Amino acid sequence: MAASALLAGCAAGPDYRAPTLSELKVAERFAAAPPATAADEDDLARWWRAFDDPALTGLVERGLAANLDIDEAGARVREARANLWGARGALLPGLGASGSAARAVGGPIEGDRTRFQVGFDAAYEVDVFGGVRRSVEAARATAQGAEASLRSVQLTVASEIALNYFAAREAQTRLRIARETLAALDETVEIVGWRRQAGLVGALDLERARQIRDQTAATIPSLETDYAAAANRLAVLLGEAPGAVAAALEPARDAPAPPGALPAAIPADVVRRRPDVALAERTLAAETARIGVQAAQLYPALTLSGSFSGSGTSISDAANDLAGDLIAGITAPIFHGGQIRAAVEAQRASAAAALAAYRTAVLTALEESENALTSVSATRRRRQSLASAETAARNAVEIARAQYRSGLIDFQSLLESERTLLSSQDSLASARVAEAAAAVQLYKALGGGWQAAPTPSSVSAPGARQGEVAAGSPARAGPKLLKIAPSYPDQASPLDPGRL
């Protein structure tokens, strides 16, 4: 027993530590210049409020509370925590009890007699080489990974609601432009008709006017379809039936402008905040721990077991009469055809794959941030240029209509001006939405949007308090979920191929 107690301080397999920023090749700054001043964590956590649109804020916060994907991810957290409880239970001995009572019916002299029998069994496998402790370590990392996955879903849902809200507003704006243009073209057809009756123009001009009018009218049904698709998608993201958010989108209005000052980005903060990166890191930790689970099978196992029983004419007599055996046994693998070592090698390969996936997750997060920073700047410049072009196109149409009425230009010139204005207005509407969407993508790339999300009720077991934490794990997977500093400074890095 003394020897087993000393050996219990050892654990098979490598001790895990998270790779450092330098090992992950994380730069100190992004190549793209930050768009503006930095925002604090609270602003990043509730970035949708920066758009100053109450409808958008209401939809995002409703979605974070009711989205079904979030509810499903919360149930996965609950499942992972339950598995952690089960893994911890293997560290404790197993106990079982039994009891019985038998009544013997005797004659007039002996009388009736009752005899009681009680007993219990105990079994305990000493975790000499740490296989069970590695299982607990893996289960803990898996539970924390489930929490990170939940936060990733919350971040995605918040951004998807915003993007579909912008799409709905874009469709409303383009519908308004198309209908206003159609009304203007109806007036143009009427003017050309008068001039045709007066013999000032030929039938060709009238047919051209009707053609562009009908082409514009044909765009309206497709825009209505785009609006319905965005509105229905919003309803589903809010956990409701299609059509349920129609009232929230009325009256029709343009998409909100992005905030003037967007958060500056620091690569290290991106790695720290992003839940998908945290999920990849926790997966690596779990896979590393499972190496120890497999390696422990190579060594002997010490099992302690006992069986005790007693009987008597009363329960107290039966308890006092307890007697039994205590057995210690050792089992060790001798020949298994290389199966155990093959399982260890397979798990080392799985951990190496998890390390590569973690590196990929970090680089992808940095790539998305770089792209978002560039997109924010590019979409702003594009929107400004298109705004100037739309103003010029509007002025050109007014001049062309006046000159056409005066007979100074032909009808083809007027038609070209009408087409250019419609195209400029349509492009400007899309550019405004693209600028707002780029801001959302930046917030998402920086890892904002999950910090203020409520904990879904599916995380808690029935009867538990909202947000109650199982097994001592944190209620919310925060920045501590991803440890950049070494957790085991005295151990070799998992980046060392010899450790994996």
Side-chain angles (χ1 to χ4, degrees), residues 31 59 71 107 113 171 224-226 262 306 343 348 369 425 467:
L59 289 171
D71 200 47
R113 290 182 301 172
E224 291 173 340
T225 300
D226 292 343
L262 292 172
R348 289 183 182 277
S369 300
Q425 289 176 324

Side-chain angles (χ1 to χ4, degrees), residues 39 41 61 68 114 130 174 252 281 289 299 306 359 379 384 399 415 452:
E41 292 293 331
E61 294 181 352
L68 296 180
T114 301
R174 295 179 66 191
E281 189 272 337
Y299 304 105
R359 285 173 162 173
T379 53
Q384 292 170 345
I399 294 171
L415 281 183

Side-chain angles (χ1 to χ4, degrees), residues 103-113:
R103 185 170 181 81
V105 180
I109 297 177
E110 297 88 358
D112 297 344
R113 290 182 301 172

Side-chain angles (χ1 to χ4, degrees), residues 32-33 35 258 262 367-383 431 433-442 445:
L262 292 172
E367 176 191 17
E368 290 177 356
S369 300
E370 287 276 14
N371 292 342
L373 288 167
T374 301
S375 179
V376 165
S377 175
T379 53
R380 179 182 292 119
R381 296 196 307 271
R382 182 172 185 271
R383 188 261 307 163
V433 171
E435 184 182 10
V440 172
Q441 295 292 359
L442 176 60

Side-chain angles (χ1 to χ4, degrees), residues 210-342:
R210 289 173 177 170
Q211 176 191 9
I212 191 173
R213 186 266 176 204
D214 291 340
Q215 286 177 337
T216 302
T219 64
I220 292 178
S222 62
L223 292 174
E224 291 173 340
T225 300
D226 292 343
Y227 170 75
N232 291 337
R233 183 59 189 156
L234 274 175
V236 173
L237 288 170
L238 269 61
E240 301 181 15
V245 300
L249 296 174
E250 295 297 334
R253 62 170 69 102
D254 294 339
L262 292 172
I266 300 174
D269 287 342
V270 172
V271 174
R272 178 177 59 87
R273 289 193 200 103
R274 294 254 309 212
D276 57 334
V277 174
L279 172 58
E281 189 272 337
R282 290 289 82 196
T283 300
L284 172 60
E287 293 297 329
T288 303
R290 291 189 183 105
I291 297 175
V293 176
Q294 297 296 336
Q297 305 300 314
L298 293 167
Y299 304 105
L302 173 61
T303 303
L304 303 177
S305 62
S307 177
F308 302 87
S309 63
S311 61
T313 56
S314 66
I315 295 178
S316 60
D317 289 343
N320 293 331
D321 190 50
L322 282 176
D325 299 314
L326 180 63
I327 302 173
I330 295 179
T331 59
I334 296 178
F335 179 74
H336 290 274
Q339 296 180 45
I340 299 177
R341 293 191 180 278

Side-chain angles (χ1 to χ4, degrees), residues 47-48 64 67 69-74 77 143-161 237 272-280 283 361 364-365 368 443-454 456 476-478 481:
W47 53 260
W48 47 88
L64 289 176
N67 179 266
D69 290 335
I70 291 177
D71 200 47
E72 178 184 353
V77 171
Q144 292 172 336
E147 294 172 6
S149 181
L150 167 62
R151 304 311 171 194
S152 183
V153 173
Q154 290 171 325
L155 180 150
T156 300
V157 166
S159 61
E160 286 299 311
I161 290 174
L237 288 170
R272 178 177 59 87
R273 289 193 200 103
R274 294 254 309 212
D276 57 334
V277 174
L279 172 58
T283 300
T364 300
E368 290 177 356
Y443 284 121
K444 180 182 179 183
L446 298 184
W450 60 265
Q451 296 88 340
R476 177 162 296 160
L481 193 62

Side-chain angles (χ1 to χ4, degrees), residues 3-16:
S4 65
L6 292 174
L7 288 172
C10 305
D15 289 324
Y16 173 74

Side-chain angles (χ1 to χ4, degrees), residues 51-66:
F51 287 87
D52 195 24
D53 188 325
L56 172 61
T57 297
L59 289 171
V60 171
E61 294 181 352
R62 282 172 59 189
L64 289 176

